[in-house]
């Protein structure tokens, strides 16, 4: 039977056509392969008996009752018939345990009932996560279910030979989680507090980790936050003799339970200290344990050390680090731009780019990382818009400020000061309005395209009738947009209450009480002969436009 199962998985693996590492492909292969294999097993009495025998052996090793064996078999058969593996096993085991009077059965059934009501798309894990909190909330609000949960946890802690403090801590943590906490931090806090109360040194260690965990300011699930907090927490523990001693006692208790020699305790402590100093968890532990075992002459030491070296080599690679600096750079630049815009009374929103480590847990264990950036293009686009807006604001403010300085220097009474400042202010407003409207109507882009069209047309030294018609058409579009802008400027005077089109006579010859002459004029010159479609006139138009077009091109090139 084992051969049939393995061959089915290998066939499924080879048929998977997805990009990814071995783990991702294996995960994609397992479901259809295992479902097909199980379907064949349950339809063949001999294979079914072999599977039953294998599960019986497993449950006996774990010291589980026959109800677990029956429930697992029922769950696997449901899965083979089309159910999801998680919900099939939960339902099968829950029903079997309930029948045998095991209190865990009612707990599993309560969770499955909530699971079936969850209306979200996702895999079993995502749906279970969504169902677990409301299910536990229901359990803690029902004294009978709560008692069943307590019995189930007690049975679990007894099997692991754990003290009653663990049972109390787990119950406390689950109740906190049901009330709105996160599952990981709730359990850590509950168990840590309970163990500390009972004098177990592991309690102080868990509390130290939780303190660091609560200070971590990153987005992510419990595992990601725990990883970010574990290294600094261990660094604090190793710098405090009392906490270090508690950690040593906790590791000693663990190795004693597993019937391991003192060398393992020494190696684990050494590995954790290396990890706290900057190493990867996997290579640090394997190196520490391997070295400690080798010192005592244990041949396993060389094997453990070799595994550590191989693991670091195969899975300890880091990729995508360049994204980290890019994300930090654009986010910090947006922060600076937002602060500068606030000085002008403008509130802008930040579009944050994010870094996510997509490496698998196994790869991270060996110090490997696979960083990817999310929202980087959007963040850069937002920064560019903010910087453009800031440049316009700075230009307008500079123009207004310069006009005020000139007005103060070149006038000798309030009336002239007011008039002169209004004129410079009007010019600044006009410039800002024209710039914004040119941008909104994409006129600058049209001018650039016109310049390009003229340049291409002159490649052979002759502008054809078709080229002249295109140039004339593009010109009419530009003039249409410019005319709309001109009309918009005409409304500014009424809107603002002063003349924005006045020119300033900046004569430096003044006498006390004199008034500056203000004249209003607006010149628009269009030589229509440039556009009468003859080649000579089109060439003359190109020569006349050349310095203006060159100015636009040079400005766009940053010259």
């Amino acid at each position: 039977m084992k051969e049939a199962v393995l061959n089915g998985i290998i066939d499924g693996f080879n048929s998977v056509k997805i990009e990814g590492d071995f783990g991702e492909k294996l995960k994609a292969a397992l479901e259809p392969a295992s479902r097909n294999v199980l379907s064949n097993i349950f339809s063949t009495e001999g294979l079914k008996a072999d599977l039953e025998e294998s599960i019986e052996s497993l449950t006996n090793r774990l010291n589980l009752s026959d109800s677990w064996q029956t429930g697992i078999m029922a769950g696997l058969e449901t899965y083979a018939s089309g159910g999801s593996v998680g919900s099939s096993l939960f339902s099968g085991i829950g029903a079997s345990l309930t029948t045998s009077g095991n209190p865990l059965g009612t707990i599993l059934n309560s969770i499955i009932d909530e699971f079936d009501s969850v209306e979200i798309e996702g895999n079993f894990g995502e749906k279970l996560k969504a169902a677990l909190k409301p299910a536990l909330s229901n359990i803690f609000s029902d004294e009978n279910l709560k008692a069943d949960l307590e019995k189930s946890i007690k049975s679990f802690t007894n099997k692991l030979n754990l003290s009653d403090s663990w049972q109390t801590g787990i119950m406390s943590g689950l109740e906190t989680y049901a009330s709105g906490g996160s599952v990981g931090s709730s359990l850590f806090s509950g168990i840590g507090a309970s163990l500390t109360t009972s004098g177990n040194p592991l309690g102080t260690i868990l509390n130290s980790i939780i303190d660091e965990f609560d200070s971590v300011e990153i987005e992510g699930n419990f595992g990601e936050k725990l990883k970010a907090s574990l290294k600094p927490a261990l660094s604090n523990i190793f710098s405090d003799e009392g906490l270090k001693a508690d950690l040593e006692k906790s590791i000693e208790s663990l190795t004693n339970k597993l019937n391991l020699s003192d060398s393992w305790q020494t190696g684990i402590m050494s590995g954790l200290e290396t990890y706290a100093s900057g190493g990867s968890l996997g290579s640090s532990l394997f190196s520490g344990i391997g070295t400690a075992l080798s010192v005592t002459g244990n041949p396993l030491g060389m094997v453990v050390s070799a595994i550590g070296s191989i693991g670091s080599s195969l899975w300890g690679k880091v990729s995508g680090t360049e994204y980290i600096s890019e994300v930090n750079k654009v986010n910090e630049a947006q922060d600076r731009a937002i602060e500068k815009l606030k000085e002008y009374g403008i509130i802008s929103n930040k579009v944050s780019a994010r870094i996510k480590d997509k490496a698998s847990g196994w790869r991270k264990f060996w110090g490997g990382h696979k960083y990817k950036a999310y929202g980087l293009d959007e963040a850069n686009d937002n920064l560019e818009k903010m910087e453009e807006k800031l440049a316009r604001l700075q230009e307008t403010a500079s123009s207004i400020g310069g006009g005020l300085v000139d007005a103060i220097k070149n006038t000798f009474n309030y009336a002239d000061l007011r008039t002169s400042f209004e004129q410079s202010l009007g010019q600044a407003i006009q410039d800002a309005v024209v710039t914004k409207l040119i941008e909104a109507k994409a006129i600058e882009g049209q001018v650039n395209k016109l310049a390009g069209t003229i340049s291409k047309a002159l490649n052979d030294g002759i502008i054809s009738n078709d080229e002249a018609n295109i140039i004339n058409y593009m010109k009419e579009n530009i003039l249409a947009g410019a005319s709309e802008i001109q009309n918009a400027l005409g409304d500014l005077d009424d809107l603002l209450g002063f003349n924005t089109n006045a020119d300033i006579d900046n004569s430096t010859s003044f006498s006390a009480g004199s008034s500056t002459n203000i004249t209003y004029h607006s010149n628009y010159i269009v030589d229509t002969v440039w556009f009468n479609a003859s080649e000579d006139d089109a060439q003359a138009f190109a020569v006349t436009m050349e310095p203006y077009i060159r100015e636009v091109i040079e400005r766009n090139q940053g010259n």
Side-chain angles (χ1 to χ4, degrees), residues 89-318:
L89 283 172
F90 258 56
S91 298
I93 295 169
S96 180
L97 292 178
T98 301
T99 302
S100 68
N102 190 318
L104 181 58
T106 57
I107 301 303
L108 291 178
N109 288 335
S110 296
I111 294 172
I112 282 295
D113 288 342
E114 194 67 42
F115 180 92
D116 291 337
S117 68
V118 171
E119 296 180 356
I120 65 166
E121 293 184 2
N123 56 30
F124 174 79
E126 291 166 339
K127 292 191 72 174
L128 179 61
K129 182 181 175 183
L132 189 57
K133 187 171 287 189
L136 283 171
S137 182
N138 292 336
I139 289 168
F140 278 101
S141 62
D142 184 307
E143 288 302 320
N144 292 327
L145 289 175
K146 184 178 177 181
D148 284 341
L149 177 61
E150 203 154 16
K151 291 174 188 173
S152 301
I153 292 172
K154 185 173 184 179
S155 173
F156 169 72
T157 54
N158 286 345
K159 283 182 184 296
L160 296 177
N161 197 25
L162 299 174
S163 65
D164 292 343
S165 302
W166 282 86
Q167 176 192 336
T168 305
I170 293 171
M171 280 294 289
S172 172
L174 290 177
E175 192 160 13
T176 302
Y177 170 62
S179 301
S182 69
V183 62
S185 58
S186 298
L187 281 172
F188 259 56
S189 298
I191 295 169
S194 181
L195 293 178
T196 301
T197 302
S198 67
N200 189 319
L202 182 58
T204 57
I205 301 303
L206 291 178
N207 290 335
S208 296
I209 295 172
I210 281 294
D211 288 343
E212 193 66 42
F213 181 91
D214 291 336
S215 67
V216 170
E217 295 180 357
I218 65 166
E219 293 182 3
N221 57 30
F222 174 78
E224 292 167 338
K225 293 191 71 175
L226 179 61
K227 184 192 172 192
S229 61
L230 187 57
K231 189 170 287 190
L234 284 170
S235 181
N236 291 336
I237 288 168
F238 278 102
S239 62
D240 184 304
E241 288 302 320
L243 290 174
K244 184 178 177 180
D246 284 340
L247 177 60
E248 204 154 15
K249 290 174 187 173
S250 300
I251 293 172
E252 183 181 9
S253 174
L254 171 66
T255 53
N256 286 342
K257 282 182 183 293
L258 297 174
N259 198 26
L260 299 173
S261 66
D262 293 342
S263 301
W264 283 85
Q265 176 191 336
T266 305
I268 294 171
M269 279 293 290
S270 173
L272 289 178
E273 191 160 13
T274 303
Y275 171 64
S277 302
S280 71
L281 184 58
S283 59
S284 298
L285 281 174
F286 272 74
S287 176
I289 295 168
T291 302
L293 292 177
S294 297
V295 169
T296 62
N298 190 325
L300 185 59
M302 293 181 64
V303 176
V304 173
S305 296
I307 292 172
S309 299
I310 294 169
S312 296
S313 175
L314 290 177
W315 299 292
K317 295 177 183 177
V318 178

Side-chain angles (χ1 to χ4, degrees), residues 30-31 34-35 38 71-72 74-80 82-93 112 115 123-125:
L30 275 175
E31 184 170 340
S34 59
R35 198 189 297 275
L38 284 170
I72 293 170
L76 289 177
E77 191 161 13
T78 302
Y79 169 61
S84 70
V85 61
S87 58
S88 298
L89 283 172
F90 258 56
S91 298
I93 295 169
I112 282 295
F115 180 92
N123 56 30
F124 174 79

Side-chain angles (χ1 to χ4, degrees), residues 59 109 158 200 276 386 423 458 478 480 542:
T59 52
N109 288 335
N158 286 345
N200 189 319
M386 285 196 288
Q423 290 162 1
L458 291 175
I478 292 171

